Amino acid sequence: MTQKMQAAQVEQFGKPLVIKELDIPTPGSGQILVKTEACGVCHTDLHARNGDWPLKPALPFTPGHEGIGIVTALGTGVTAVKEGDRVGVPWLYSACGHCEFCLAAQEPVCADAQFGGYTKNGGFAEFIIADPNYVAHIPARLAAKDAAPLICAGITSYKGVKETQARPGEWIVISGIGGLGHLGVQYAKAMGLHVCAVDIDDRKLEHAKRLGADAVVNAKNGDPVAAVVKATGGGAHGVLITAPSLPAFKQGVGMTRKHGTCVLVGIPPGDFPTPLFDVVANCITIRGSFVGNRRDMAEALAFGAEGKVKADIELQPLSAINEVFERLAKGEVPSRVVLDFSR
Ligand code: NAD
Ligand code: ZN
Ligand code: ZN
């Protein structure tokens, strides 16, 4: 008899996930089976559930791209991992390995890239099928629940900070202090930057201060651009926008110092107006950044293993996923919820 597992699936966009009993999948040639220990809940999972983006996943699907677990079975021909290894199954589920982008270690933009919990079933399930060439290798010093947020929120905010090209001693704005942003503050501090945290919730800003932010600005009060320009003495050298909210984007461009770089990682559906004269005359760079490559993953996890970055997590069972989504949509999750499969 085939063994069963629990999984939370999106059957219809915008509707609650359905918790089901599914067959435990068998790894095919070149695949591995991972027994999930923990999986973080990213705002991207909520965009996926809502069908927010132009590229939509095929229904039904299992979200989750911060799944960490133990390799329990290998398909034929697998040599990159062995049974018993602790791995993470990330957003960058797999890529072709041969195109111009893969050859340049820019595999997140590979045209054949598959996305965990989106085009492939993800970690809101007791078992996950993964590609051993693209899993994250979890350092021994990191518990599964602590590693989970690092394999999406961590790598994305870490890479985003690097992409601003802000240097030690310079200012960075982190806009949106949720799952990505609370880690971004820690990476930026560990990299020697001055951090100005921006959010619309004073509790998130208090949290940013506890994590080392040098200045905080509530974007709901007054003119947040003027407040940041004042706090940073002329605008931040780098700005990282993680907020899933369109007004944060135009504001972020305004917070950027002359010759600075504004990196966009939040993906609310829609567009934002770009003040062309200001961008041109101030020589501002606006840049998108999409997770990171496998080297970025190893680096982002190393900060965690060395104790320089630690996700603040709230553990919940898989059965609570719909309540977690409701709170995430309202901005009521303090930092990151991690689904705990050990209980
Ligand atoms: P989250 O819900 O945990 O955090 C969002 C934070 O933004 C909250 O603290 C909220 O209060 C704050 N916020 C809301 N409106 C704001 C505004 N106008 N100004 C400033 N702050 C505001 O979400 P998350 O999991 O951190 O994800 C954030 C976004 O990043 C989502 O759109 C997600 O899809 C995207 N994302 C992108 C990548 C990528 O590779 N580019 C990877 C992961 C997530
Ligand atoms: Zn994510
Ligand atoms: Zn490729």
Side-chain angles (χ1 to χ4, degrees), residues 20-104:
K20 300 181 185 172
E21 293 256 297
L22 300 177
D23 291 346
I24 296 178
T26 308
S29 173
Q31 295 180 325
I32 58 173
L33 183 67
V34 177
K35 185 174 193 307
T36 315
E37 299 174 283
C39 184
V41 182
C42 180
H43 208 107
T44 290
D45 298 313
L46 188 59
H47 294 306
R49 194 282 308 262
N50 290 342
D52 273 345
W53 296 336
L55 166 75
K56 291 191 201 310
L59 297 168
F61 68 96
T62 308
H65 53 273
E66 289 185 345
I68 309 291
I70 301 294
V71 178
T72 54
L74 306 179
T76 54
V78 171
T79 54
V81 301
K82 52 186 192 314
E83 274 185 53
D85 284 358
R86 175 169 286 137
V87 298
V89 188
W91 178 253
L92 180 69
Y93 181 96
S94 64
C96 85
H98 307 288
C99 70
E100 64 173 290
F101 302 109
C102 284
L103 291 179

Side-chain angles (χ1 to χ4, degrees), residues 43 174-178 197-206 216-222 224 242-248 251 255 328-332:
H43 208 107
I174 313 268
S175 172
I177 308 295
V198 177
D199 204 290
I200 52 171
D201 180 341
D202 282 330
R203 290 166 304 181
K204 307 275 173 89
L205 295 172
E206 283 303 318
V216 297
V217 168
N218 189 324
K220 266 198 170 159
N221 303 338
T242 80
S245 162
L246 290 174
Q251 287 168 5
M255 292 169 183
L328 196 57
K330 292 189 210 144
E332 286 170 7

Side-chain angles (χ1 to χ4, degrees), residues 157-175:
S157 57
Y158 168 63
K159 176 75 161 191
V161 170
K162 286 201 293 184
E163 290 286 278
T164 68
Q165 297 180 342
R167 297 154 66 108
E170 294 185 337
W171 277 99
I172 187 167
V173 160
I174 313 268
S175 172

Side-chain angles (χ1 to χ4, degrees), residues 112-317:
D112 290 333
Q114 299 294 322
F115 302 124
Y118 204 78
T119 65
K120 295 284 181 183
N121 284 329
F124 293 0
E126 290 175 299
F127 288 87
I128 321 166
I129 292 285
D131 183 328
N133 298 312
Y134 289 86
V135 289
H137 297 271
I138 308 303
R141 272 180 289 173
L142 269 183
K145 63 182 176 22
D146 295 320
L150 300 184
I151 74 162
C152 178
I155 184 179
T156 304
S157 57
Y158 168 63
K159 176 75 161 191
V161 170
K162 286 201 293 184
E163 290 286 278
T164 68
Q165 297 180 342
R167 297 154 66 108
E170 294 185 337
W171 277 99
I172 187 167
V173 160
I174 313 268
S175 172
I177 308 295
L180 268 60
H182 92 286
L183 290 170
V185 170
Q186 298 178 56
Y187 281 110
K189 287 309 296 178
M191 291 156 82
L193 295 162
H194 295 311
V195 174
C196 178
V198 177
D199 204 290
I200 52 171
D201 180 341
D202 282 330
R203 290 166 304 181
K204 307 275 173 89
L205 295 172
E206 283 303 318
H207 188 201
K209 274 192 207 159
R210 288 194 296 276
L211 295 172
D214 303 275
V216 297
V217 168
N218 189 324
K220 266 198 170 159
N221 303 338
D223 179 350
V225 174
V228 167
V229 169
K230 184 159 180 252
T232 57
H237 304 80
V239 173
L240 177 65
I241 305 179
T242 80
S245 162
L246 290 174
F249 287 76
K250 181 167 180 235
Q251 287 168 5
V253 172
M255 292 169 183
T256 311
R257 204 181 193 91
K258 293 177 183 180
H259 275 276
T261 299
C262 181
V263 173
L264 318 182
V265 297
I267 326 177
D271 311 310
F272 73 97
T274 310
L276 268 175
F277 184 82
D278 294 346
V279 170
V280 172
N282 293 328
C283 299
I284 284 168
T285 301
I286 300 175
R287 173 178 291 168
S289 184
F290 199 36
V291 287
N293 64 25
R294 288 171 284 178
R295 181 64 192 256
D296 299 314
M297 180 68 87
E299 292 173 7
L301 285 165
F303 276 81
E306 289 165 18
K308 292 177 182 142
V309 166
K310 190 172 193 313
D312 287 304
I313 57 173
E314 171 191 326
L315 294 177
Q316 290 288 350

